[in-house]
Amino acid sequence: MKRKPTLRFILGDQLSREISSLRDADPARDMVLMAEVAEETVYVPHHPKKIAFLFSAMRHFALELRNEGFCVDYVTLADPANSGSFASELARAVSRHQAVSVVVTHPGEWRVLDAMQVWEQAAGVPVEIREDDRFVCPLPRFRRWAEGKRQLRMEFFYREMRRATGLLMEQDGEPVGGRWNFDTENRKPVPARLDMPPAFFVKPDAITQEVLALVGTRFAGNFGTLDGFDYAVTASDARRALAHFIAHSLPSFGDYQDAMRQGEDRLFHSMLSPYLNAGLLDPRAVCDAAEAAWRGGQVPLNAAEGFIRQILGWREYVRGLYWLKMPGYADTNRLGADRALPGIYWGGPTEMNCLRQCVDQTRRLAHAHHIQRLMVTGNFALLIGARPSEVEAWYLAVYIDAYEWVELPNVHGMILYADGGYLGSKPYAASGKYIDRMSDYCGRCHYDVRQTLGSKACPFNFLYWNFIIAKAPELRGNQRMAMTYASLNRMDDMKQAAIQRQAAEFLADLPVEY
Ligand code: FAD
Ligand code: DLZ
Ligand code: SF4
């Protein structure tokens, strides 16, 4: 008689053949469960490209497992029997297959982990939650590193990860090139004449087209377009995207990492975050590929180091911090920000060219690169004092790579300083001068980036100084803000008052509805 199966439940961002929940799975005995559920599609109004990417990648993954001989029970969103949540779909599947137990890998979001606590009760069988070991740094190791520290700093964590992995290290334990970090070489604006790397794209196959039709109908009201969907949806295409990046973009990644250029959405960025976060690419393998390109003389050290730092450093750091501080990380609001998120973020009209370009790119691609997220949309949200919960929900909804473990520390900590400096040592507040230096947005803007006051003044300028004045009680004592506050001290009172007046008028006129 055939033994009753164990259900291996694979969530939408667990599409790795090496995932812990599948590790000892027996195709002859076990059953794999995957489900497109309404609950996951509505907890924020996801960009349609994000939903389409995940559903198509899930369906392709199911097919690959079936080709390997696994029995995969895949519940589509359109299935009339679909009950709409992870818990209820699991319960239905346990009863359908008479399963004796469930194995699942630890989810990427606290919200889901919390919901998992009732799964055993809902399903009536034991549920084993296994570690998600697709990260370089296991969570207990991160906890040990963070223990006793009042503030965490990515740079020190990153050095520890370099030592632990041996990536970009000499035999004697020193970093290659004699330095840990080549960031100072990675701040060049893009020169007017520079060849851009060719784009990597994948033509939608029949599975993706079916998903696009479904998502187009069900999520037509969400912010974002499905037009031009060209993301990879399988691990093999994601590996091709990696190879394409290493060959064409990585050589200049370091130099232009912080640059922005109108009409060039991707510049030299990898666009690999959706694949890394859904499990189609392994972070260690991506770092190894970048290191090998440097050791093989194909890319300069500042490029390889800059890229590896993002994955081995930032990505691992924010994940460790998220699980260290959850639940509760999102509850702080150190700067007391309480403004409703303006309609500009959902495509409402604005004469600020930089914001318009970044929001429009987000609408088209469900992607914007780091400096656009940090120094344009993020900086603006910080300067206007937008409510952290609304900013967080926006970032979680609109980006194809957004899951709370990575979105929340970047938004709550890095851009909004809502955690009071636990993640980063100071707010990334900047005036229009920074945007002008790193982009060509200002030359095409209604506003004048050289002006701080008056009808043509760049809003980033007066908002920046308004923020610096208003937040002096919290920030003046911060050593890293000393130069900023020394400049403020040199500004006369009349100018400070005029700045505050212009900022107040601008903020009073910011439309929320769109
Ligand atoms: P590249 O520039 O090519 O970088 C390579 C990789 O490094 C990325 O794919 C990503 O995996 C990793 N990485 C780089 N910076 C970070 C970072 N700060 N935190 C974590 N990983 C990093 N990244 C997400 O994956 N999901 C998010 O929801 C997300 N939200 C963000 C919100 C804000 C406000 C900011 C400032 C950054 C956010 N990031 C997020 C980080 C970063 O912007 C994206 O990872 C990056 O833009 C993805 O594009 P890319 O793959 O071309 O990156
Ligand atoms: C983001 C997302 C969406 C939109 N839909 C689904 C889904 O229908 N089924 C699924 O298994 N996963 C989905 N996901 C990803 C989950 O939200 C993600 O796995 C959890 O948040 C844990 O990180
Ligand atoms: Fe943005 Fe100001 Fe430059 Fe306009 S002038 S693009 S608002 S920074």
Side-chain angles (χ1 to χ4, degrees):
M1 198 175 76
K2 194 170 181 290
R3 272 181 54 193
K4 289 183 176 169
T6 290
L7 265 189
R8 312 277 173 164
F9 195 3
I10 308 289
L11 310 185
D13 55 355
Q14 300 184 342
L15 310 180
S16 319
R17 184 58 190 86
E18 300 307 317
I19 192 87
S20 57
S21 54
L22 281 181
R23 207 152 287 158
D24 54 351
D26 176 356
R29 198 185 69 215
D30 294 341
M31 170 74 67
V32 175
L33 172 68
M34 297 178 74
E36 297 168 3
V37 292
E39 192 173 65
E40 292 306 300
T41 65
V42 297
Y43 70 92
V44 286
H46 301 283
H47 193 297
K49 276 201 169 107
K50 178 180 179 186
I51 304 176
F53 162 69
L54 267 188
F55 282 10
S56 181
M58 285 171 70
R59 291 180 186 199
H60 280 90
F61 189 69
L63 191 64
E64 285 163 17
L65 292 179
R66 281 189 187 125
N67 289 341
E68 247 190 79
F70 277 100
C71 253
V72 183
D73 186 352
Y74 190 101
V75 185
T76 63
L77 193 70
D79 184 338
N82 190 329
S83 56
S85 75
F86 282 151
S88 55
E89 275 312 292
L90 183 68
R92 274 200 331 121
V94 164
S95 136
R96 209 163 45 240
H97 303 293
Q98 296 290 292
V100 287
S101 59
V102 174
V103 175
V104 66
T105 292
H106 192 288
E109 301 194 343
W110 173 266
R111 173 185 65 83
V112 180
L113 182 66
D114 195 35
M116 276 182 184
Q117 306 314 313
V118 299
W119 281 14
E120 279 198 352
Q121 206 187 355
V125 295
V127 175
E128 183 191 348
I129 303 174
R130 290 188 179 168
E131 184 189 350
D132 185 352
D133 52 12
R134 296 173 298 165
F135 290 83
V136 182
C137 181
L139 293 176
R141 181 180 184 139
F142 188 88
R143 277 198 196 96
R144 278 198 304 280
W145 174 78
E147 210 168 273
K149 296 187 172 71
R150 210 167 48 82
Q151 292 178 319
L152 304 185
R153 291 297 166 256
M154 195 289 291
E155 182 61 29
F156 299 117
F157 168 76
Y158 168 58
R159 292 179 191 181
E160 179 141 328
M161 285 295 96
R162 291 267 298 273
R163 287 193 195 96
T165 57
L167 277 162
L168 298 181
M169 296 298 288
E170 301 286 9
Q171 296 284 349
D172 62 2
E174 290 300 311
V176 298
R179 274 154 61 191
W180 292 102
N181 183 316
F182 290 79
D183 217 17
T184 47
E185 288 160 42
N186 290 1
R187 291 175 187 155
K188 298 192 180 82
V190 182
R193 285 165 177 274
L194 185 72
D195 288 341
M196 289 295 150
F200 175 84
F201 59 89
V202 176
K203 209 167 154 251
D205 65 5
I207 295 177
T208 302
Q209 280 174 20
E210 194 177 319
V211 166
L212 290 173
L214 168 82
V215 174
T217 315
R218 293 284 281 264
F219 302 98
N222 289 18
F223 169 82
T225 175
L226 281 172
D227 293 349
F229 184 96
D230 60 4
Y231 287 102
V233 289
T234 62
S236 63
D237 277 344
R239 283 193 294 273
R240 288 202 304 121
L242 169 63
H244 182 94
F245 165 71
I246 301 261
H248 299 286
S249 302
L250 184 58
S252 297
F253 174 89
D255 286 354
Y256 306 117
Q257 197 177 341
D258 288 359
M260 299 174 278
R261 153 99 47 108
Q262 190 157 331
E264 294 293 344
D265 299 330
R266 298 170 171 91
L267 290 172
F268 297 91
H269 291 275
S270 69
M271 306 291 291
L272 295 177
S273 52
Y275 314 137
L276 281 161
N277 296 353
L280 301 181
L281 281 179
D282 172 58
R284 177 63 204 251
V286 173
C287 291
D288 287 345
E291 183 187 40
W294 171 68
R295 291 201 185 272
Q298 293 152 257
V299 308
L301 183 54
N302 71 315
E305 188 281 319
F307 180 70
I308 288 172
R309 178 162 18 96
Q310 305 312 312
I311 296 177
L312 186 67
W314 279 111
R315 187 172 185 271
E316 296 286 331
Y317 176 69
V318 299
R319 190 248 182 175
L321 191 143
Y322 176 79
W323 286 109
L324 187 69
K325 299 300 276 184
M326 287 301 281
Y329 184 60
D331 296 346
T332 52
N333 186 358
R334 176 63 176 271
L335 297 180
D338 197 27
R339 181 174 304 283
L341 193 70
I344 298 172
Y345 281 83
W346 301 108
T350 174
E351 307 231 64
M352 299 173 73
N353 187 40
C354 53
L355 260 186
R356 191 169 57 230
Q357 295 302 325
C358 294
V359 171
D360 186 59
Q361 177 176 327
T362 302
R363 183 189 65 78
R364 287 185 286 107
L365 302 183
H367 187 275
H369 64 72
H370 189 66
I371 293 300
Q372 295 172 312
R373 296 187 207 197
L374 181 67
M375 300 310 291
V376 181
T377 45
N379 187 20
F380 190 68
L382 171 74
L383 299 185
I384 65 171
R387 209 171 282 143
S389 58
E390 289 188 32
V391 186
E392 285 147 24
W394 183 80
Y395 276 95
L396 196 54
V398 302
Y399 290 115
I400 190 165
D401 52 23
Y403 304 89
E404 200 185 61
W405 67 265
V406 53
E407 168 274 323
L408 189 65
N410 273 297
V411 177
H412 196 78
M414 195 183 306
I415 66 168
L416 298 180
Y417 200 72
D419 64 358
Y422 190 68
L423 174 139
S425 52
K426 73 179 190 63
Y428 278 90
S431 69
K433 204 192 261 180
Y434 177 88
I435 295 174
D436 191 32
R437 191 168 65 244
M438 298 313 299
S439 79
D440 60 356
Y441 293 143
C442 300
R444 303 164 194 213
C445 187
H446 163 85
Y447 296 108
D448 183 346
V449 73
R450 291 159 305 180
Q451 295 186 34
T452 301
L453 287 169
S455 63
K456 281 281 186 182
C458 164
F460 273 104
N461 291 344
F462 54 78
L463 290 172
Y464 171 74
W465 284 112
N466 178 62
F467 172 85
I468 296 299
I469 296 165
K471 300 303 165 195
E474 284 90 0
L475 302 177
R476 196 186 280 281
N478 183 326
Q479 277 308 305
R480 296 204 56 209
M481 304 287 289
M483 284 206 344
T484 307
Y485 280 98
S487 302
L488 182 66
N489 286 344
R490 290 193 294 275
M491 194 185 286
D492 65 58
D493 289 351
M494 276 206 353
K495 187 166 180 187
Q496 289 193 26
I499 283 173
Q500 286 177 294
R501 253 194 325 274
Q502 181 149 359
E505 279 165 22
F506 176 88
L507 292 171
D509 281 351
L510 256 189
V512 174
E513 297 304 329
Y514 171 59

